[in-house]
Amino acid sequence: MALWVDKHRPRELSKLDYHKVQAENLRNLCQQGDFPHLMFYGPSGAGKKTRIMCLLRELYGAGVERLRNETMTFTTPSNRKVEVMTVGSNYHLEVNPSDAGIYDRVVVIDLIKQVAQTHQIDASGQREFKVIVLSEVDELTKDAQHALRRTMEKYVATCRIILSVNSTSRVIPAIRSRCLGIRVAAPNEEEITSVLQLTCKREGLTLPAELAARIVDKSEHNLRRALLMLEACKVQQYPFTGQQDIVELDWQVYLRETANQIVTEQTPAKLEKIRDRLYELLAQGVPPDMIFRGLVEQLVRNCDMSIKAKTLEYATLYEHRMQNGSKHIFHLEAFVAQFMNIYKKFISESMMMDDF
Amino acid sequence: MKPATRKRAWNNSAFAYQSKFDSVQTENTTQMKESNVADDEKTIEINKTLNESPETSKPTPPSFKSNSNWIDKFEPKTCEEVAVHPKKLAELKDWLLHCAAVHKQHPAQICLLTGPSGSGKTAAVRALARAQNYELQEWINPVDRDMINTLGDQTSNYTGSQIDFFKSFLFRSSRYKSLLGSQKRLVLVEDFPNMILSSVDIFEDILEEFSKYGKAPLLFIVADSKSRSLNISYTLFTEELKNRYHIHHISFNPIAVTLLQKAMKRFCALMREQQFSDTYKVPSETIIDSIVFAAQGDIRNALINLHFASLKGAGALPTERVESCEIKGKSKKKLSTLKTIRRDESVTMLHALGRVFNPKRLPNGNFTHKPEDITDSFASEPKRFIDLIHANYLPHFREIEHVVEAANALSIADNIITEYREEALALTALNLAVRSIMQTNESPVTAWMPIRAARHNHQDLSKLQKISGISNSLYATDYGSYVQMINACKKIEK
Amino acid sequence: MQAFLKTGKTTVSDKTQASTSGAGGPSAERRKPPAPWVEKYRPKSVDDVVEQSEVVAVLRKCVEGADLPNMLLYGPPGTGKTSTILAAARQIFGDIYRERILELNASDERGIAVVRTKIKNFAQLTASSTRPDGRSCPPFKIIILDEADSMTHAAQAALRRTMEKESRSTRFCLVCNYVSRIIEPITSRCTKFRFKALGDEQIIVRLRHICEIESVNIDENAYKSIVEISGGDMRRAITTLQSCYRLKGASNTISTEDLLEMSGIIPENYLIEFLEVCQAGNYSKLEEFVRQIGYEAYSIGQMLEQFNEHVLRCPSLTNKQKALICDKLGECSFRLQDGGSEYLQIMDLGCAIILALK
């Protein structure tokens, strides 16, 4: 019951739908004897993972597609067991170390050690190194990133590391400079449209141009989201109509409602209700920085420039604190309180103006 | 030995000793004067040597009897004196009667007695046992001599021996009557062997054996503990275990204020008696009231405080300082008295929170309770206190303008406290949080509000349907809602 | 060439990795991957060292006299510090230089324990004044401590006694970027050499030389952009060239666009547009623009860095406006480096600029 996103994912560099020149470059890279550490960067849903898998296939052949899931267990210095899901083949291993939370450092070190200390078994393989794919490296703690940097150097003889990050700003320079950066820009609207049409063709469906355009519009240039939306539309209603509802992500809807509530009432009691909603979002696993961004985007809608600027000023202040703190809710709440305060003043001032 | 365990061993041993030698009552009053803390230390030492041989306990020199602590002296002798709710007492009594009734067929009855510390569990058992003519056989963890002898290879040999020791105690004490008395027997286990605590399996085996071969009722006493991992009644006595061995569970509550007051009256009456009057002077009514209040249903605590409050002479000076603060009013007991009694912290946390949220001010504008004092009281767990403040501060604010500052301060406090490398910063953070809440809230809402526990933001990952190779956050942001929907529809199709 | 690699310092691969975007020739022992160009084109003698004329003049004297003082080489990255000392060592010791050198860099364990054991042990070895083949050779060894500014002060302090005690048979050469991070007792025991950033011309000449030998197809204008990207860092320039060559393959011509793409530099027009959008004072346009940058996957950190330059050079802004913008820019950059969200930081900056330009 594979999702379309996985089912129609291109498997070879030559079959990629966009960024063709880059694909050609990656092929060139594989043809050379040595292979650097790589860092793929680009927004979510731009196709980083797809490109990494294609690259691995180019390196090792079809063997990399025989995937198996494994749960690796790591022991922290405080003797706590951390379990991390991994996906891998004979040639590579894919991990998301940020899933280990604050124990990411242990995972990074132990994992690379374990993999790097065993040489490539398959002697016939043309590569003498294994590849470790680490995703969301920008979410790693600084500690873990420094550990990663050292292990990268230490085990460079037996393994290469491919990093996948959303933004390079959060990756420490030492890692950035050790990797060859591959920029994966989000597909533009035409590219997404063509991929959607292609997918529908493969599934034997017809997609009205209007619906396609609306999905593209809602997808925020995120191809994965666009495909998931398309599939959700399909199970909801087929044949497609141009006007049919597009299912939105429930957390985005929820966040928008939250923002609307903030704008309607600015009291401590309301703030408390907002807190519960924020807790709910956090409990669902929505990253707090995305909550921040979503709130800001919604909140600044109805105010004038000076309020906008102030809102952003507070948002950056508290978001930054949040990154350095441990309780996300404290900072989210402080931001909402600040916004309520300035917005309340803004409203009462504009009311006074109206009175005159 | 850690203080907590020491206290425990000391109390247990004191009781254990008393059950065998009732002569403790005859006190040498002149020596009582010196019965301050230092002397109690001595008692501990002596009692420890006694512990080493619980089975071969022979009468030890009488010199130390006089030093036995005041808790023993004021121990209730009859059921009427026990400050436990009559219903609970009746429950326990019923169980004992039941044991006697079915003694022929099923002698090995098991009962579990739980309740907060100082709720009179042991005292109730003792008094009832005396009334019902049961002889108490209590297990005391031996201080292990083998371990010292064979320090080189202490490992397996030692663990086995303590469990064996425990087993043999259970069966011997329940099966073979003592040559002297012909009383019925009641086996009491309050002090659990360490090995049992770490392994439920061993405990199960022992219970299994006991239920087959035991000849006397077995009573476990377990004090409630705040944290679950330490709570024996949770870890050891699982529901399943209780059902299988028909373990009767009696749970005591903290002692009610009225009962506590009654007990205090009894203590005071005792103090006025001839033998004690040299040592004690009965403290004033208000002090007794505040002691009762501070004890929060812990009779042992109340008794200790009473003892300090009523001592004459040299020991009185420091106590007076503490008590003088208590006199201020019923509800305003000084925190420093409570600091010595750890178990009360969570209770007083509520009071401290009240002080933070609804600060009282002196006429000169200063706070009645200084933020520093509140901070100091919770220096041991600043994170928890800040979390509690955060969870509860909002309803106490009227205006969003005031909330802004408070929320801002909490946000900074969180940042400061996250810096784990500098321990002193945690206090700074706590102080900041406390102070800012007190200071910024210019017009607190004074209505009564229940205190809520801080929420822990644990993601419920089990709820997420994990797709391999996709991180949790990505699933939450991109996949979640669609995948659920697609799967739901596909199921319907099927 | 292979021989060079083999005789090279044991930390060759680490070294290259440390400074380049993955020159990755670590499996050299097993196969024959092409050597990273940075290693391949290291200067072979002191005279080959580009630019640093004063340093070279002193060193040449030393080499002629077959002796070296304790040295502290400092200066910006990629200016030839390590290359210089290695070249000098080669000239002094000839083909046995591998045995006479101990090189440790930041990626090696270099705590106080290492200073006490490894460095001391090596320092205490005696060096004979003749080579195995009978020719004479200076009777000392060189310990090169690369990236010495990252050593702890305790380790540095432990070093100073060793430096003095073993001065008869051992020369120390510390290489670092910031001389201020080396403790005073050490600097006073060393001859200090300051390395200047390389001039554009020098780098281009070198790059051209490499391109000829490796037969790289490269656009004439591309040289200039390499120099711009590298900012006077020879190592970065060469690695950039090599990475680009790898990506494009031998048959394609390397153009300026390829280089910019590879290095993650943001095209100038984005900076101009950002300022224009802010000048228009329209929030939703700003939002749209920031989104677009996000889609293009450009790093906001890089953007802020370049924007700083851009603002400073921008003729249409008044000094006060520049001050206001740069103030905010600094704050945003700091938060970004410290883990803040890209979107919020640049939006905050944008709003501040809008207000500043009003």
Side-chain angles (χ1 to χ4, degrees):
Chain A
M1 206 162 64
L3 297 165
W4 290 358
V5 191
D6 297 319
K7 202 164 147 196
H8 302 293
R9 194 189 284 275
R11 311 261 177 238
E12 286 169 52
L13 283 174
S14 54
K15 300 219 172 105
L16 289 173
D17 296 301
Y18 50 93
H19 297 334
K20 301 242 184 213
V21 179
Q22 187 185 59
E24 191 56 37
N25 288 344
L26 290 175
R27 277 166 75 102
N28 281 331
L29 193 62
C30 291
Q31 258 131 44
Q32 310 213 355
D34 59 335
F35 190 81
H37 298 302
L38 294 180
M39 178 171 71
F40 284 78
Y41 61 99
S44 186
K48 299 183 290 292
K49 192 68 149 305
T50 310
R51 271 153 193 80
I52 292 172
M53 287 313 291
C54 291
L55 184 72
L56 288 174
R57 196 191 146 98
E58 187 76 24
L59 275 175
Y60 296 110
V64 285
E65 281 169 22
R66 281 195 293 276
L67 296 177
R68 49 173 186 264
N69 293 328
E70 253 177 272
T71 309
M72 290 177 92
T73 314
F74 302 95
T75 313
T76 67
S78 54
N79 229 347
R80 211 188 156 111
K81 293 262 187 293
V82 181
E83 287 195 347
V84 175
M85 295 264 291
T86 65
V87 183
S89 70
N90 285 337
Y91 308 98
H92 85 290
L93 187 72
E94 195 186 316
V95 193
N96 188 342
S98 58
D99 275 356
I102 54 167
Y103 302 112
D104 50 2
R105 187 168 164 270
V106 186
V107 173
V108 165
I109 296 178
D110 283 9
L111 178 89
I112 299 183
K113 231 187 234 167
Q114 279 178 27
V115 175
Q117 282 172 348
T118 55
H119 281 269
Q120 187 65 268
I121 310 162
D122 190 2
S124 64
Q126 64 276 49
R127 309 283 165 182
E128 55 200 358
F129 53 84
K130 287 184 178 181
V131 171
I132 300 177
V133 180
L134 298 175
S135 36
E136 295 184 20
V137 174
D138 43 346
E139 299 295 325
L140 289 185
T141 57
K142 287 263 159 64
D143 233 17
Q145 292 196 28
H146 281 291
L148 176 62
R149 164 204 159 168
R150 277 191 296 278
T151 26
M152 268 166 108
E153 287 168 350
K154 210 163 163 189
Y155 299 107
V156 76
T158 47
C159 76
R160 294 295 183 282
I161 292 167
I162 299 183
L163 309 174
S164 158
V165 303
N166 282 341
S167 81
T168 51
S169 305
R170 279 188 193 170
V171 182
I172 59 169
I175 290 185
R176 257 184 284 167
S177 74
R178 278 165 179 73
C179 300
L180 179 55
I182 309 284
R183 183 171 67 94
V184 184
N188 61 28
E189 288 169 12
E190 293 82 56
E191 284 161 349
I192 299 181
T193 317
S194 76
V195 171
L196 290 181
Q197 291 290 3
L198 197 69
T199 309
C200 281
K201 215 164 111 194
R202 286 197 190 129
E203 288 284 329
L205 313 168
T206 48
L207 176 66
E210 192 187 348
L211 182 64
R214 284 176 55 223
I215 290 178
V216 170
D217 193 44
K218 288 227 159 152
S219 68
E220 297 175 3
H221 290 234
N222 184 333
L223 187 57
R224 172 176 43 234
R225 236 180 249 181
L227 282 168
L228 284 164
M229 271 183 200
L230 181 68
E231 194 175 351
C233 285
K234 153 78 178 36
V235 295
Q236 263 202 334
Q237 181 186 350
Y238 188 81
F240 293 126
T241 61
Q243 297 304 324
Q244 81 178 82
D245 280 347
I246 297 172
V247 189
E248 280 188 84
L249 284 163
D250 45 9
W251 68 268
Q252 280 186 330
V253 178
Y254 193 80
L255 190 60
R256 206 181 307 139
E257 280 166 18
T258 310
N260 287 338
Q261 290 188 11
I262 295 173
V263 175
T264 49
E265 189 188 329
Q266 296 86 33
T267 58
K270 192 75 199 170
L271 182 58
E272 183 139 39
K273 293 217 177 69
I274 299 294
R275 176 201 288 174
D276 289 340
R277 293 182 74 94
L278 292 175
Y279 264 131
E280 183 58 36
L281 279 168
L282 288 172
Q284 277 184 11
V286 181
D289 50 335
M290 290 183 88
I291 300 181
F292 250 113
R293 178 177 173 165
L295 276 181
V296 171
E297 281 175 349
Q298 296 296 329
L299 288 176
V300 295
R301 290 258 158 104
N302 305 315
C303 29
D304 70 358
M305 194 55 219
S306 64
I307 303 293
K308 282 181 168 127
K310 258 196 195 144
T311 308
L312 272 160
E313 208 179 309
Y314 283 126
T316 44
L317 174 72
Y318 287 113
E319 201 265 349
H320 173 235
R321 277 199 201 150
M322 181 181 75
Q323 297 292 349
N324 290 306
S326 55
K327 302 263 173 187
H328 299 148
I329 193 73
F330 278 43
H331 309 280
L332 280 165
E333 189 175 297
F335 166 65
V336 174
Q338 288 284 9
F339 178 80
M340 280 183 167
N341 191 25
I342 49 178
Y343 191 76
K344 194 176 169 194
K345 277 193 191 132
F346 166 67
I347 292 293
S348 61
E349 271 164 28
S350 58
M351 296 266 273
M352 297 229 296
M353 299 282 266
D354 287 347
D355 287 345
F356 282 120
Chain B
M1 204 193 265
K2 278 189 268 171
T5 46
R6 165 178 281 181
K7 184 184 159 211
R8 187 175 164 74
W10 153 66
N11 278 333
N12 285 329
S13 57
F15 282 131
Y17 171 74
Q18 200 200 9
S19 68
K20 278 159 196 148
F21 311 100
D22 275 356
S23 53
V24 192
Q25 296 302 314
T26 55
E27 236 72 277
N28 186 341
T29 44
T30 46
Q31 285 201 356
M32 270 312 295
K33 257 183 188 166
E34 296 148 31
S35 93
N36 50 24
V37 183
D39 271 9
D40 287 333
E41 294 283 334
K42 222 183 285 169
T43 322
I44 294 161
E45 290 307 314
I46 296 161
N47 281 343
K48 251 200 293 182
T49 54
L50 182 72
N51 287 349
E52 286 177 13
S53 49
E55 293 178 350
T56 61
S57 57
K58 292 185 186 97
T60 22
S63 66
F64 76 94
K65 289 182 206 163
S66 53
N67 268 342
S68 151
N69 67 69
W70 61 92
I71 290 194
D72 300 334
K73 289 189 308 249
F74 297 115
E75 199 201 5
K77 304 295 169 323
T78 64
C79 298
E80 288 70 42
E81 284 178 358
V82 177
V84 173
H85 197 273
K87 266 191 190 162
K88 294 284 176 193
L89 213 54
E91 204 179 335
L92 192 60
K93 195 171 166 185
D94 285 347
W95 180 73
L96 277 176
L97 290 173
H98 168 76
C99 287
V102 297
H103 185 72
K104 288 271 147 50
Q105 298 88 28
H106 308 287
Q109 295 291 323
I110 307 175
C111 177
L112 169 67
L113 191 59
T114 60
S117 52
S119 57
K121 299 180 294 291
T122 317
V125 171
R126 282 182 197 295
L128 270 175
R130 203 173 292 130
Q132 304 278 325
N133 270 336
Y134 272 98
E135 187 187 343
L136 275 181
Q137 295 281 327
E138 186 176 0
W139 162 256
I140 308 278
N141 273 351
V143 172
D144 216 60
R145 280 164 304 177
D146 301 26
M147 199 173 90
I148 301 159
N149 294 343
T150 58
L151 206 59
D153 50 355
Q154 48 179 287
T155 46
S156 57
N157 150 9
Y158 162 54
T159 55
S161 76
Q162 205 189 24
I163 294 293
D164 292 345
F165 225 24
F166 181 61
K167 270 193 204 163
S168 69
F169 163 78
L170 281 187
F171 301 124
R172 229 183 299 166
S173 56
S174 69
R175 301 183 97 168
Y176 308 116
K177 294 188 172 179
S178 99
L179 293 172
L180 302 171
S182 58
Q183 281 176 317
K184 295 173 281 183
R185 286 159 169 272
L186 176 62
V187 185
L188 181 67
V189 177
E190 195 170 3
D191 198 15
F192 286 78
N194 296 328
M195 270 311 288
I196 284 186
L197 295 184
S198 59
S199 161
V200 184
D201 296 343
I202 295 178
F203 186 60
E204 256 189 82
D205 292 345
I206 292 174
L207 279 189
E208 178 72 45
E209 225 173 300
F210 182 82
S211 63
K212 275 187 196 149
Y213 307 114
K215 292 282 183 243
L218 175 60
L219 187 69
F220 291 101
I221 296 184
V222 177
D224 285 347
S225 137
K226 284 274 159 352
S227 87
R228 228 154 220 243
S229 59
L230 287 176
N231 203 335
I232 299 171
S233 63
Y234 272 110
T235 50
L236 224 46
F237 293 90
T238 56
E239 280 305 317
E240 191 214 338
L241 204 68
K242 279 193 238 170
N243 288 335
R244 195 180 330 151
Y245 300 110
H246 306 287
I247 300 177
H248 191 81
H249 187 170
I250 303 173
S251 164
F252 276 24
N253 296 326
I255 296 174
V257 175
T258 45
L259 286 172
L260 211 49
Q261 276 163 344
K262 219 173 92 189
M264 294 302 267
K265 275 197 193 110
R266 185 173 72 82
F267 297 146
C268 293
L270 265 175
M271 278 182 192
R272 285 195 196 93
E273 278 172 23
Q274 181 59 49
Q275 54 184 3
F276 298 122
S277 55
D278 287 351
T279 330
Y280 299 118
K281 66 173 196 322
V282 176
S284 70
E285 193 76 0
T286 42
I287 290 182
I288 290 178
D289 277 352
S290 55
I291 290 173
V292 168
F293 189 85
Q296 304 287 351
D298 182 342
I299 193 162
R300 190 183 298 141
N301 179 329
L303 192 47
I304 291 168
N305 281 347
L306 179 71
H307 178 81
F308 274 118
S310 54
L311 263 185
K312 279 182 188 173
L317 207 65
T319 12
E320 225 155 295
R321 186 183 63 81
V322 171
E323 299 308 332
S324 67
C325 296
E326 286 188 5
I327 294 167
K328 273 185 188 167
K330 248 185 177 178
S331 56
K332 286 181 198 161
K333 75 263 178 247
K334 174 89 169 165
L335 283 164
S336 57
T337 49
L338 298 163
K339 258 164 79 175
T340 54
I341 307 143
R342 287 247 319 276
R343 59 161 236 119
D344 281 346
E345 212 165 51
S346 72
V347 182
T348 54
M349 222 174 213
L350 304 185
H351 292 273
L353 281 174
R355 273 170 211 175
V356 173
F357 293 139
N358 293 312
K360 292 197 181 63
R361 282 172 192 266
L362 296 171
N364 62 6
N366 289 341
F367 291 115
T368 318
H369 305 283
K370 286 196 199 136
E372 279 73 23
D373 293 345
I374 300 174
T375 308
D376 283 348
S377 321
F378 299 99
S380 58
E381 34 190 355
K383 267 201 173 141
R384 196 167 152 225
F385 199 63
I386 291 182
D387 287 354
L388 269 177
I389 290 180
H390 175 257
N392 292 291
Y393 78 105
L394 275 179
H396 297 270
F397 281 73
R398 250 186 253 279
E399 299 296 332
I400 197 78
E401 290 85 34
H402 304 152
V403 175
V404 168
E405 294 302 318
N408 185 36
L410 283 174
S411 148
I412 297 177
D414 177 54
N415 264 15
I416 297 176
I417 211 164
T418 308
E419 178 56 70
Y420 55 91
R421 279 164 290 193
E422 185 61 69
E423 272 182 35
L425 282 180
L427 270 190
T428 315
L430 180 57
N431 197 348
L432 174 71
V434 167
R435 192 169 272 276
S436 65
I437 301 284
M438 291 171 81
Q439 194 67 47
T440 54
N441 198 1
E442 286 168 19
S443 50
V445 179
T446 44
W448 181 83
M449 261 157 283
I451 294 288
R452 277 166 305 177
R455 238 174 108 160
H456 287 282
N457 185 30
H458 285 305
Q459 288 179 17
D460 193 0
L461 295 178
S462 55
K463 244 202 310 194
L464 299 180
Q465 182 194 2
K466 184 91 172 135
I467 303 181
S468 63
I470 294 169
S471 74
N472 299 330
S473 59
L474 192 58
Y475 183 86
T477 50
D478 271 19
Y479 283 86
S481 31
Y482 294 128
V483 171
Q484 271 167 19
M485 172 159 203
I486 292 165
N487 285 347
C489 287
K490 279 189 180 160
K491 263 181 207 149
I492 291 167
E493 276 171 32
K494 275 174 194 166
Chain C
M1 216 32 29
Q2 197 52 35
F4 167 63
L5 247 190
K6 290 236 161 150
T7 56
K9 337 163 271 178
T10 48
T11 47
V12 160
S13 50
D14 286 343
K15 184 81 195 86
T16 341
Q17 291 296 325
S19 54
T20 70
S21 46
S27 34
E29 292 80 8
R30 296 217 276 157
R31 244 167 238 240
K32 293 196 248 40
W37 293 353
V38 188
E39 294 304 323
K40 202 166 162 185
Y41 297 99
R42 259 194 204 291
K44 302 290 178 302
S45 73
V46 177
D47 296 287
D48 287 349
V49 172
V50 176
E51 190 121 321
Q52 319 292 352
S53 44
E54 302 111 59
V55 184
V56 168
V58 175
L59 275 178
R60 196 185 292 127
K61 278 270 179 312
C62 295
V63 171
E64 280 163 13
D67 196 4
L68 280 175
N70 282 334
M71 287 185 296
L72 174 63
L73 311 182
Y74 66 100
T79 47
K81 299 180 294 295
T82 314
S83 300
T84 307
I85 185 64
L86 284 178
R90 278 165 68 85
Q91 278 182 290
I92 292 173
F93 299 116
D95 46 2
I96 60 156
Y97 93 117
R98 180 163 59 129
E99 296 151 31
R100 294 292 177 87
I101 282 186
L102 174 71
E103 193 192 335
L104 297 169
N105 70 15
S107 50
D108 298 306
E109 235 356 273
R110 256 193 336 195
I112 195 157
V114 172
V115 171
R116 286 201 181 123
T117 57
K118 207 165 167 184
I119 295 184
K120 253 190 186 166
N121 286 347
F122 185 78
Q124 280 163 355
L125 296 173
T126 45
S128 80
S129 58
T130 53
R131 299 188 203 190
D133 59 4
R135 281 186 293 156
S136 71
C137 133
F140 60 80
K141 314 167 293 289
I142 302 182
I143 295 179
I144 301 177
L145 294 169
D146 217 339
E147 295 163 51
D149 39 5
S150 66
M151 286 173 79
T152 60
H153 280 187
Q156 290 187 31
L159 192 62
R160 71 186 167 185
R161 193 76 197 106
T162 317
M163 273 176 91
E164 248 166 22
K165 250 168 57 188
E166 310 299 336
S167 61
R168 271 186 48 233
S169 65
T170 310
R171 302 289 177 273
F172 281 84
C173 178
L174 283 75
V175 179
C176 65
N177 294 134
Y178 305 101
V179 74
S180 53
R181 293 207 196 137
I182 307 291
I183 60 171
E184 189 72 6
I186 299 270
T187 53
S188 78
R189 283 169 172 79
C190 296
T191 321
K192 282 186 269 188
F193 292 104
R194 181 167 177 277
F195 281 67
K196 299 189 289 279
L198 300 177
D200 297 359
E201 277 312 305
Q202 308 273 1
I203 297 182
I204 292 181
V205 168
R206 194 74 187 165
L207 289 176
R208 198 163 294 195
H209 171 70
I210 294 173
C211 287
E212 269 163 31
I213 297 180
E214 298 284 338
S215 63
V216 179
N217 289 319
I218 182 164
D219 201 49
E220 197 56 32
N221 293 326
Y223 286 124
K224 269 222 119 36
S225 24
I226 295 184
V227 171
E228 267 169 43
I229 292 166
S230 62
D233 181 341
M234 178 73 95
R235 180 166 46 206
R236 194 161 166 209
I238 297 178
T239 358
T240 310
L241 180 68
Q242 193 185 10
S243 309
C244 215
Y245 174 70
R246 270 189 190 152
L247 275 179
K248 299 308 286 186
S251 50
N252 295 320
T253 308
I254 295 172
S255 67
T256 307
E257 288 77 47
D258 298 328
L259 285 165
L260 289 180
E261 169 70 37
M262 220 225 47
S263 57
I265 300 276
I266 294 162
E268 187 88 4
N269 58 321
Y270 279 97
L271 304 176
I272 298 168
E273 199 186 334
F274 183 51
L275 206 55
E276 275 170 2
V277 164
C278 291
Q279 247 148 2
N282 186 330
Y283 183 87
S284 47
K285 260 196 191 154
L286 175 68
E287 206 170 10
E288 185 53 40
F289 172 76
V290 169
R291 267 168 204 277
Q292 197 54 45
I293 291 190
Y295 296 150
E296 289 301 323
Y298 285 120
S299 150
I300 299 295
Q302 178 71 35
M303 167 106 184
L304 294 184
E305 221 166 273
Q306 285 177 253
F307 190 68
N308 186 27
E309 283 286 305
H310 184 76
V311 167
L312 288 179
R313 277 189 279 110
C314 184
S316 62
L317 298 172
T318 66
N319 277 338
K320 191 178 171 209
Q321 285 170 338
K322 284 184 185 174
L324 283 172
I325 294 172
C326 288
D327 182 29
K328 196 71 185 179
L329 195 58
E331 201 178 339
C332 290
S333 298
F334 160 68
R335 285 182 187 152
L336 195 62
Q337 294 294 325
D338 212 25
S341 133
E342 287 194 322
Y343 173 84
L344 291 178
Q345 301 304 334
I346 192 148
M347 284 305 287
D348 187 25
L349 177 65
C351 285
I353 297 175
I354 289 178
L355 292 183
L357 296 186
K358 252 184 186 168

